[in-house]
Amino acid sequence: MKALLLFLLLGTPLGVKAESETPPLTQQLWSFSGMRGTFDRGALQRSLQVCKEVCSACHSLKRVRFRELQALGFSAEDIKTFAQSYEITDGPNNEGEMFTRAGLPSDAFPNPFKNDQASRAGNHGALPPDLSLIVKARAGGADYIYALLTSYSSPPRGIKLGENMSYNPYFPGHQIAMAPPFVVDQVTYADGTPATVDQMARDVTTFLAWTAEPESETRKAMGW
Ligand code: HEC
């Protein structure tokens, strides 16, 4: 609903003021904000689904090892199964060749592409950044990531998009090479939560806030 409203606001000439301004970021209520904040476990577990089924197609999370997901409430067995669902390039073997194998808990989320060149080739020349620290790397942090993921719209009148670019008022320059990553019900949440664009964006942002600063909560306690 909110996404639709935003779309209507931004997509019609009425909602657009001057040429193409960056709207101020809305401060969201995050479970992890503040001194005593903790990460919402439900959101973290759902977010793993979003990450795997959506973002992992283009982005790596190379600083996050599968076994660290234990901090999110997953059992060792769950993590083993989850890790196995990823294909890892390893090697070289005794013949000097690289090979692929199923993921292990000690592996990090792999890059879906062989290298940056392949990554650009698969994304019309743009490089999907590693997401491990993205929340810390961008001004506005979680609020920015959430706004980015939920604010795609058609461009205001008079703005011509480059080839393969999408309009997003929060991205610097307002044209982004990442197509809108979500449609409603893109994932089917294991816990039955309706997968609205807003929900998926909130959940995955919570996850990325955790990957950027896991030590702000449990990692320290668990001795990593
Ligand atoms: C089809 C490929 C693709 C998918 C799927 C995808 N992205 Fe991206 N993403 C990109 C590309 C390409 C860029 C670089 C955009 C640019 O530089 O214009 C990018 C950039 C980003 C950025 C950086 C924006 C900035 O300020 O620099 C974030 C954050 C991001 N993606 C998050 C996500 C999340 C979260 C998901 C999953 C919900 C996701 N992406 C899914 C391709 C993808």
Side-chain angles (χ1 to χ4, degrees), residues 124 155 159-167 173-177:
H124 312 292
I159 303 254
K160 206 164 176 302
L161 290 179
E163 211 182 328
N164 302 311
M165 301 299 266
S166 300
Y167 184 77
H174 304 170
Q175 300 205 20
I176 185 165

Side-chain angles (χ1 to χ4, degrees), residues 51 55-56 58-64 128-136 138 145 149 178 204 207-209 211-212:
C51 232
C55 322
S56 275
C58 300
H59 292 274
S60 61
L61 264 176
K62 62 184 177 204
R63 288 168 178 265
V64 185
D130 184 82
L131 294 181
S132 316
L133 299 176
I134 199 84
V135 166
K136 272 208 286 204
R138 293 289 180 274
I145 305 294
L149 293 173
M178 170 167 75
V204 82
F207 182 66
L208 295 176
T211 66

Side-chain angles (χ1 to χ4, degrees), residues 51 72 80 119 130 170 194 199:
C51 232
L72 310 191
K80 210 167 137 193
S119 193
D130 184 82
Y170 287 98
Q199 186 72 49

